Amino acid sequence: LDVGLDAGAFGKGAALDAAARALRSAGAQSASLDFGGQLLYVGDVGSQTLDIADPRDRARPAARLRVDAGSVATTCNSERARVVDGRRLGHVIDPRTGRPSSSLGSVTVWAESAFDADCLSTACFVLGPDEAIALAERTDGVEVLALSLDPLGHLVMSTSRGLKDHVSLLIDEPGKPRRAVADQNTQPK
């Protein structure tokens, strides 16, 4: 029996945290690290602004996010999906069902550690926007930005309270009004 372990939901985060430890040990006071799109800002790097891709088209920025130190990871099904029997199936598996996650859109997580951001972006993607934001609201040091599509195909942005003033929706689609929803289904900490 062959067994494999896919580090896709935690590998980049673990590697970024290890790199940050090595940099600190070597005397670095601050650093900006990018490993395959996951970012880690260490020390006093000041405010960093980054674009979050449209979940339907990675080449098009959909939201702009401003953060300080910490890590940002995004999970989306736009790149590694497969068509099986005419149905598009994503690569992120929902462990509750054993089937591909049905979430349409993307989830971006900010956390203090890259490992946490990496793991939580995948978990929050599986949970979907409402449950992901609720999780962030009850977890210290974690913030969530969810981009999803409503039934009419409009891009909807939802954020946890900690990101509300740090993110803006960039997309104005022809014939589709810009919509932003903050604090959607949040719970007190």
Side-chain angles (χ1 to χ4, degrees), residues 32-123:
S32 297
L33 305 170
D34 182 341
F35 187 6
Q38 183 174 347
L39 305 168
L40 176 61
Y41 302 110
V42 179
D44 186 14
V45 294
S47 184
Q48 302 292 314
T49 301
L50 54 133
D51 288 344
I52 307 300
D54 185 328
R56 300 161 296 182
D57 178 2
R58 183 177 182 178
R60 182 169 72 164
R64 182 153 294 143
L65 176 63
R66 185 177 35 82
V67 297
D68 294 316
S71 184
V72 177
T74 299
T75 298
C76 183
N77 265 335
S78 65
E79 292 187 31
R80 295 175 54 190
R82 300 284 184 257
V83 177
V84 177
D85 294 331
R87 263 186 69 212
R88 188 175 188 282
L89 302 175
H91 72 287
V92 179
I93 304 299
D94 184 337
R96 299 170 294 191
T97 64
R99 302 191 49 81
S101 174
S102 61
S103 179
L104 298 174
S106 68
V107 173
T108 299
V109 171
W110 174 91
E112 294 169 2
S113 87
F115 182 80
D116 290 349
D118 201 3
C119 293
L120 287 169
S121 71
T122 304

Side-chain angles (χ1 to χ4, degrees), residues 138-149:
R138 64 179 184 266
T139 307
D140 290 335
V142 173
E143 301 296 341
V144 169
L145 161 64
L147 296 175
S148 57
L149 301 176

